[in-house]
Amino acid sequence: MNNISVITMFFLSGFNETVNYRFILFFFSLLCYCIICLVNISLIMTIILDSNLHEPMYILLCAFCINGLYGTTGFYPRFLWDLLSDVHAISYYSCLIQTQVIYSFACGELSILAVMAYDRYVAICQPLKYHSIMSNQRVIRLVCFTWLTTFCIMVINNFLTSRLTLCSPYISRLFCLNWSIVQLACFPEQTTINGIFVNITIIIYLLHGAFIVWSYMYIIKTCVNSTENRAKFMQTCVPHLLSLFIFVVTILFDVINMRLGSKELPQTLKNFVSVEFLVIPPIMNPLIYGFKLAKVRTRICVIILKTK
């Protein structure tokens, strides 16, 4: 191991399969990023500018869209640059920063979904206490707390990864992820602490998922015998459940691919699976909420009519 050198650059070998059609990919990726920015910023500005939407549920939706913009900004500009570049290299520290942004985006998404589930639980199961429990200030504090804790957890993960001695600069993906860097470690015993902390992180966010399931068990139980609550459920909970389903499915595919993915699978398929959670949820979430929530839909229609 005397020939181990300090790695200052990583090479993203996932781009090797994109050389022949990189301009087509660039066009569609740029279009996708523009759509993500358009739909998310439109929803954010609609909520901010309309005082009638300054309610906990819409504040959470605004945070959801901001988180989507944050995560995709950590991926698309770099990805677009690499598609046009002949050398797909990224510096060591830029790779860690990208890892920090993408991981904190994904975990922050689940945290906000958990707060949304709690908001719907209080609104439907304890409606008389809703305004005292879920004030605007409390919701903003909850969102800030979830973002801060998620960011700190990912900082610790990155710090533990930065301690590792790496034997290869090649990452077989389109972007940097913590686990992809850990797999490059020369000495498996160095990764023990990383594995322990990753498992703790997974447990923390599995508990978020369990809380969401618990919340909706009570919500559905409450809605069964109430026509009013069933209408409220269909109006405000269905978009949340759709967002949760899309997020979980896309993340699950990527985790399975990252941890259990076969080397025999085509790199093109691996690339597609790995970017799903950075493409589908950021586009679908604002569209789902924009079309499903009456207040938001009405406000957007008014803005469109005024522009005409």
Side-chain angles (χ1 to χ4, degrees), residues 223-241:
C223 290
V224 168
N225 300 317
S226 170
T227 304
E228 183 183 347
N229 283 336
R230 281 201 298 271
K232 191 183 291 186
F233 178 87
M234 292 302 296
Q235 181 67 30
T236 63
C237 295
V238 169
H240 180 257
L241 288 175

Side-chain angles (χ1 to χ4, degrees), residues 257-277:
N257 173 54
M258 189 163 48
R259 295 297 182 100
L260 305 174
S262 172
K263 293 182 179 179
E264 297 174 1
L265 289 176
Q267 185 63 45
T268 304
L269 178 60
K270 290 183 180 180
N271 288 346
F272 175 75
V273 171
S274 69
V275 300
E276 278 185 311
F277 75 102

Side-chain angles (χ1 to χ4, degrees), residues 56 120 123 201 211 246 270 288:
R120 291 300 85 205
T201 304
F211 174 77
I246 291 168
K270 290 183 180 180
I288 289 168

Side-chain angles (χ1 to χ4, degrees), residues 15 18-19 31 45 59 68 75 86 91 112 138 183 196 199 220 240 242 245 256 263 269 276:
F15 281 96
T18 68
V19 174
L31 178 64
M45 295 308 297
I59 292 171
F75 168 70
D86 293 324
S91 72
I112 294 171
R138 184 165 294 173
Q183 289 178 312
I196 292 170
N199 288 331
I220 293 169
H240 180 257
L242 284 172
F245 176 77
I256 292 171
K263 293 182 179 179
L269 178 60
E276 278 185 311

